[in-house]
Amino acid sequence: MDKQLEQALNDQIKEEIYSAYIYLAMAADSKAKNLDGFANWFSIQAKEEMDHAMGFYTYLFDRGGKVVLQAIDQPPSEYKGALHLFEETLKHEQFITGKINDLFRLATDKSDFATQSLLKWYVDEQVEEEDNAN
């Protein structure tokens, strides 16, 4: 596997785990404000983001790459209310969409068709993620 692409996939693992961390923080803030339905939704989102991270993790091993886990920043711990939660969710999902698109572009530049195939699923998933946040 191309080393630049391997590094970019490792970077994406970090982004996906950070996404899970953000949604877990949103779930905790929602729970603290007695917004139990929102807390449940964000908890489900956190698990889904960890599943996405594990998809990249497994793929790197499948391709003979090396997984290098990176430090995860602390997410915000408080939000101004339900609307703010979902505004931040949409903004974050749009950011992740950009990262996935950058990965697809790099895989295309490197003529790595297997990685393009993997990323196609994530491209489609981001359409769903943004729609859910909207």
Side-chain angles (χ1 to χ4, degrees):
M1 172 174 281
D2 177 85
K3 291 300 178 190
Q4 185 182 5
L5 190 53
E6 178 181 271
Q7 178 62 52
L9 290 167
N10 273 297
D11 292 345
Q12 192 62 35
I13 291 171
K14 175 185 175 183
E15 295 296 347
E16 299 294 339
I17 293 172
Y18 182 66
S19 296
Y21 217 31
I22 287 173
Y23 294 141
L24 196 56
M26 289 176 167
D29 185 59
S30 295
K31 185 75 172 168
K33 293 175 178 162
N34 295 315
L35 299 171
D36 291 344
F38 291 125
N40 182 60
W41 190 84
F42 282 113
S43 293
I44 292 167
Q45 293 307 115
K47 182 189 178 313
E48 187 175 301
E49 298 303 338
M50 283 304 297
D51 290 345
H52 294 170
M54 290 306 296
F56 287 112
Y57 176 94
T58 301
Y59 179 75
L60 274 169
F61 280 117
D62 289 348
R63 292 288 307 278
K66 180 176 170 83
V67 171
V68 179
L69 298 177
Q70 303 170 27
I72 307 297
D73 293 333
Q74 180 179 351
S77 60
E78 292 188 34
Y79 296 85
K80 298 173 190 165
L83 179 61
H84 185 232
L85 284 164
F86 283 95
E87 288 171 342
E88 290 300 306
T89 298
L90 179 58
K91 186 167 62 172
H92 182 72
E93 289 300 339
Q94 290 168 336
F95 169 78
I96 294 298
T97 297
K99 292 292 190 180
I100 297 295
N101 290 343
D102 290 345
L103 269 173
F104 196 92
R105 198 172 294 110
L106 180 60
T108 301
D109 291 347
K110 300 292 184 181
S111 297
D112 188 324
F113 303 111
T115 302
Q116 288 174 40
S117 180
L118 171 83
L119 291 170
K120 173 70 169 80
W121 183 88
Y122 286 92
V123 168
D124 294 342
E125 175 68 6
Q126 282 309 117
V127 171
E128 179 185 321
E129 295 288 355
E130 286 189 31
D131 183 49
N132 283 339
N134 243 339

